[in-house]
Amino acid sequence: MTMDIDRTEEDYIEPNHFEFSAMLQATRTFENFVLSSNGQSIELAPDGLTKVGPYFGWRWLFFGYTFDIKNLGFNSSNGRKEFDLSFYSSKFGVDLYYRRSGSDYKIRDVKLGYGIDGDLFEGMTFAGVKVGITGISAYYIFNNDHFSYPAAFSQSTCQKISCGSWMVGAGYTHNTLDLDYSALQDAINNRMPVGQEVKLDSGMMFNNIKYNDYMLSAGYAYNWVFAKNWLFCASGQLAIAYKSSYGNTADEKKGFDFGKVNPDMVGRFALVYNNVRWYAGVSAILRTNNYRTSRFKANNMYGTLSAYVGYNFVLKKKYKKR
């Protein structure tokens, strides 16, 4: 008997026929971070990171390890640490994520005021910023009898008929932002023409900020079955986040406290081929995290793009009789 949390209408969704799965996956991660204050802005981003590795699955659970193709070992050469775990069932999903940036940020775009050429700074390495996020989010899928998130993102079922569903969720994240603003000021002035200097706005002059997000989200997802065994899924969730934080700036020794509501977003996209035995596809997950006050803004966007191919094996008992 199918467990209640994964019960579906088989006219719409083909259940998983197999006990186990083996998969090879390549994942490209990317990140973008923008600091802005009083008309000045600095965009930083590390180079993209590509990892490949094997996975082994049993029913809902997938275990595996991916290796940085530039550093075939268990320790990242740039100090970057990432861990993501997602659980998809017909009725609900859970995401756990842990990220710590490395020392490989580069300046991608700069706006520091009239007459200052931002091209002078593009591509400049800057190791004085560190971003961390630890969080959990969960969401409920309303039309769970007819719509399958696992068909798009865990390949454990097959969507037969195009269908969509509304979703609601809640989550919590703990965020940290460390900035060596003195090093940033020096690095920028070192690139300026001889005899010229630029002063960063005081809103950017902080050492660290820590803030907590308490989120409520709502969104919609749609599985489009455009050909036999083929599926395209698009999903978006808008989160309203209450942010409680504390930080210190150079001109405000007592720091600033605030709790403010900001919007965050999560987008998921997938293209999948699945004939029950074999499956292959690509998927992308994109998250935004916004921190705003009247005088300072920090926007962080990060995501993953994955390509995979897998094979299911060992039929479940009820399918062996067919």
Side-chain angles (χ1 to χ4, degrees), residues 197-211:
E197 290 187 351
V198 62
K199 182 172 177 59
L200 292 176
D201 185 77
S202 60
M204 295 191 189
M205 294 183 180
F206 61 88
N207 291 316
N208 63 78
I209 293 174
K210 298 179 181 179
Y211 59 101

Side-chain angles (χ1 to χ4, degrees), residues 292-312:
R292 296 169 182 262
T293 70
S294 60
R295 61 189 303 277
F296 173 79
K297 298 178 182 178
N299 302 321
N300 186 213
M301 180 180 71
Y302 55 95
T304 59
L305 176 65
S306 300
Y308 54 84
V309 60
Y311 178 75
N312 295 314

Side-chain angles (χ1 to χ4, degrees), residues 151-200:
F153 296 102
S154 64
Q155 302 80 48
S156 57
T157 61
C158 296
Q159 185 86 43
K160 295 180 179 180
I161 301 174
S162 299
C163 192
S165 178
W166 291 98
M167 302 177 295
V168 295
Y172 165 80
T173 62
H174 176 70
N175 306 266
T176 60
L177 170 59
D178 297 325
L179 176 69
D180 188 341
Y181 67 85
S182 296
L184 180 60
Q185 179 73 78
D186 292 342
I188 289 174
N189 283 332
N190 287 339
R191 286 289 184 99
M192 292 290 291
V194 177
Q196 295 186 33
E197 290 187 351
V198 62
K199 182 172 177 59
L200 292 176

Side-chain angles (χ1 to χ4, degrees), residues 13-322:
I13 301 167
E14 184 69 28
N16 185 11
H17 292 197
F18 298 89
E19 295 282 0
F20 301 102
S21 182
M23 183 178 73
L24 181 66
Q25 178 171 295
T27 300
R28 179 79 170 176
T29 61
F30 50 92
E31 184 176 3
N32 175 279
F33 185 76
V34 180
L35 296 167
S36 57
S37 178
N38 197 27
Q40 294 184 342
S41 67
I42 299 176
E43 178 183 342
L44 302 109
D47 292 332
L49 181 67
T50 301
K51 294 184 176 183
V52 297
Y55 283 79
F56 178 78
W58 174 69
R59 297 188 179 182
W60 298 331
L61 301 177
F62 255 87
F63 304 92
Y65 188 85
T66 54
F67 299 84
D68 180 357
I69 61 175
K70 293 183 179 180
N71 178 42
L72 296 179
F74 290 89
N75 297 315
S76 173
S77 59
N78 54 31
R80 195 185 310 185
K81 298 178 180 179
E82 300 176 357
F83 173 80
D84 293 273
L85 175 65
S86 295
F87 172 84
Y88 301 101
S89 74
S90 64
K91 291 190 176 182
F92 62 88
V94 178
D95 294 324
L96 298 169
Y97 39 93
Y98 172 92
R99 292 174 181 268
R100 295 295 182 269
S101 65
S103 58
D104 56 347
Y105 272 96
K106 294 180 180 178
I107 294 177
R108 305 297 182 178
D109 188 38
V110 174
K111 294 180 178 64
L112 294 177
Y114 179 77
I116 299 176
D117 184 6
D119 293 341
L120 292 170
F121 314 102
E122 289 186 17
M124 182 175 70
T125 300
F126 179 66
V129 61
K130 294 183 179 180
V131 181
I133 179 169
T134 304
I136 181 172
S137 61
Y139 47 89
Y140 179 81
I141 300 165
F142 287 101
N143 190 18
N144 49 73
D145 287 343
H146 300 147
F147 169 83
S148 176
Y149 233 7
F153 296 102
S154 64
Q155 302 80 48
S156 57
T157 61
C158 296
Q159 185 86 43
K160 295 180 179 180
I161 301 174
S162 299
C163 192
S165 178
W166 291 98
M167 302 177 295
V168 295
Y172 165 80
T173 62
H174 176 70
N175 306 266
T176 60
L177 170 59
D178 297 325
L179 176 69
D180 188 341
Y181 67 85
S182 296
L184 180 60
Q185 179 73 78
D186 292 342
I188 289 174
N189 283 332
N190 287 339
R191 286 289 184 99
M192 292 290 291
V194 177
Q196 295 186 33
E197 290 187 351
V198 62
K199 182 172 177 59
L200 292 176
D201 185 77
S202 60
M204 295 191 189
M205 294 183 180
F206 61 88
N207 291 316
N208 63 78
I209 293 174
K210 298 179 181 179
Y211 59 101
N212 298 313
D213 285 1
Y214 304 90
M215 298 173 290
L216 294 176
S217 65
Y220 189 81
Y222 189 80
N223 281 345
W224 175 34
V225 181
F226 59 89
K228 183 179 180 181
N229 299 328
W230 284 94
L231 167 70
F232 175 76
C233 177
S235 168
Q237 288 177 269
L238 175 65
I240 303 302
Y242 177 84
K243 299 174 186 284
S244 174
S245 62
Y246 177 83
N248 289 319
T249 64
D251 63 342
E252 293 178 319
K253 294 182 180 179
K254 294 182 180 180
F256 54 88
D257 295 332
F258 65 90
K260 191 175 181 180
V261 174
N262 288 164
D264 295 330
M265 292 190 68
V266 179
R268 292 179 172 89
F269 306 90
L271 176 65
V272 182
Y273 173 81
N274 191 339
N275 66 9
V276 180
R277 173 73 74 171
W278 287 93
Y279 58 88
V282 294
S283 64
I285 300 176
L286 179 66
R287 302 178 185 273
T288 65
N289 188 281
N290 302 295
Y291 168 103
R292 296 169 182 262
T293 70
S294 60
R295 61 189 303 277
F296 173 79
K297 298 178 182 178
N299 302 321
N300 186 213
M301 180 180 71
Y302 55 95
T304 59
L305 176 65
S306 300
Y308 54 84
V309 60
Y311 178 75
N312 295 314
F313 57 100
V314 183
L315 279 169
K316 295 179 179 178
K317 289 183 179 179
K318 66 178 180 178
Y319 295 108
K320 290 180 179 179
K321 298 178 182 179
R322 295 185 177 183

